[in-house]
Amino acid sequence: MRKRMTLLAVIAASALALTGCAGPNPAGDGASDSASKSPFTVATDVSLTGSPTFDAMTKRGTVKVGVKEDQPGLGYLDAATGERSGFDIEIAKWIAASLGFSADKITFEAIPSANRESAIVNGDIDFYVGTYSINDKRKEQVGFAGPYFVTGQGLLVAAGDKKITSEKDLAGTTVCSATGSTPIQNIKANFPDTKTTEFDTYSQCVEALKDGSVNAVTTDAAILIGYAAQDPDNLKVVGKPFTVEKYGVGMPKSDDALRTFTNDMFTKGGDTWTAIYNETLGKSGTKVEQPKVEAY
């Protein structure tokens, strides 16, 4: 168990890579100035029988991808430059390319955690790539390809906080996370002496932590390290990851063809996955293995 947690801690530390590790990507589309350096190419003459999602993409001529844009190193939008970067952004572009769509044919949509299932079910997006943990409850509404990454739940506190050093110190405190997220559900279920506050985005929780409205922010450790690295004078990550979270690509539940296609891409594309990791989260010098796909 200790070896497992150590690995998760290393994964979390890799988020120090922060913004700009991935190739730039304008907010309005998926175009990238670093396309020539991409570890994948756009497929041609793609045929995916039995996928209504792929049929809709083909008819439309574009891909609509749900993402996060406030998570440094994973899914981040630079407001000043309009560029998107991060591991999840590059994974999304890889999937689109495998389906035959170049980066300039991608429309990225920022979807809050609480709205991910409805966005997929309603067809607002074709698929979602944004620190989306696979669990049985979500599988009742949507399908998942992957996992493509594994991390664990952690805690972000004020830099001067000496009382909270791990999840064992949460009794009597107020913890913030995104509405509908796995971490906030875990706190409610397993930490009954802890109060919770929820917002649409983790960045709102971070602001609440800074102004003293809450005592801690919880989500996946990789995300929290990114926030702490942006503002080390005011924020720090404490303890070790205390859950295991498996990130998947969310897509329509009934689209078995698209899920199988994406799982095959992950399974056969180990070198591409590693190249994407090394150019984003892996910029910190850490090395991790691609998780094995859990097809269902």
Side-chain angles (χ1 to χ4, degrees):
M1 182 64 178
R2 181 175 179 79
K3 182 177 181 181
R4 176 67 169 175
M5 298 310 289
T6 299
L7 174 58
L8 290 174
V10 169
I11 293 174
S14 65
L16 286 168
L18 295 182
T19 308
C21 295
N25 178 59
D29 56 36
S32 172
D33 293 337
S34 59
S36 61
K37 299 179 182 178
S38 175
F40 47 82
T41 58
V42 178
T44 58
D45 300 322
V46 179
S47 177
L48 187 54
T49 304
S51 172
T53 309
F54 178 74
D55 292 342
M57 295 179 198
T58 303
K59 182 178 181 179
R60 191 190 315 121
T62 60
V63 183
K64 298 185 294 184
V65 184
V67 294
K68 293 291 182 65
E69 58 183 27
D70 63 338
Q71 299 176 350
L74 289 158
Y76 188 79
L77 173 63
D78 188 317
T81 64
E83 296 176 350
R84 293 184 189 271
S85 62
F87 182 73
D88 283 345
I89 299 299
E90 295 303 312
I91 290 291
K93 291 197 287 186
W94 179 23
I95 296 170
S98 297
L99 291 167
F101 295 88
S102 57
D104 62 334
K105 299 299 182 182
I106 302 173
T107 299
F108 289 108
E109 301 284 349
I111 307 293
S113 294
N115 298 342
R116 290 179 291 201
E117 285 81 23
S118 61
I120 295 170
V121 171
N122 295 336
D124 298 331
I125 55 176
D126 297 312
F127 56 88
Y128 186 96
V129 189
T131 62
Y132 198 11
S133 296
I134 301 170
N135 63 42
D136 291 339
K137 183 177 180 180
R138 289 172 177 164
K139 284 182 181 179
E140 294 175 1
Q141 298 184 66
V142 302
F144 284 101
Y148 65 90
F149 193 64
V150 178
T151 184
Q153 186 172 349
L155 293 170
L156 182 74
V157 301
D161 190 330
K162 299 184 183 303
K163 295 181 179 180
I164 301 177
T165 60
S166 75
E167 76 278 8
K168 297 178 182 178
D169 303 318
L170 293 180
T173 67
T174 300
V175 177
C176 187
S177 193
T179 303
S181 66
T182 300
I184 200 67
Q185 294 168 12
N186 181 44
I187 296 296
K188 290 179 176 180
N190 299 305
F191 297 82
D193 297 327
T194 302
K195 298 178 182 179
T196 58
T197 295
E198 301 175 44
F199 291 107
D200 286 340
T201 64
Y202 295 117
S203 56
Q204 289 174 288
C205 283
V206 173
E207 291 306 312
L209 176 61
K210 288 182 179 180
D211 68 25
S213 301
V214 302
N215 303 109
V217 177
T218 187
T219 185
D220 302 336
I223 299 170
L224 298 179
I225 290 288
Y227 287 122
Q230 278 190 322
D231 191 2
D233 291 337
N234 294 301
L235 304 170
K236 66 180 179 181
V237 175
V238 295
K240 296 180 179 180
F242 52 97
T243 67
V244 175
E245 305 296 338
K246 299 178 179 181
Y247 292 166
V249 179
M251 56 188 61
K253 181 179 180 180
S254 61
D255 202 330
D256 294 336
L258 180 60
R259 185 171 66 250
T260 299
F261 178 93
T262 307
N263 280 335
D264 287 345
M265 184 200 77
F266 286 138
T267 299
K268 298 174 182 178
D271 290 344
T272 301
W273 185 96
T274 299
I276 290 173
Y277 179 84
N278 288 343
E279 288 303 312
T280 53
L281 293 177
K283 285 288 189 178
S284 63
T286 59
K287 294 185 181 296
V288 300
E289 294 183 1
Q290 177 187 6
K292 184 178 180 181
V293 166
E294 298 175 359
Y296 63 93

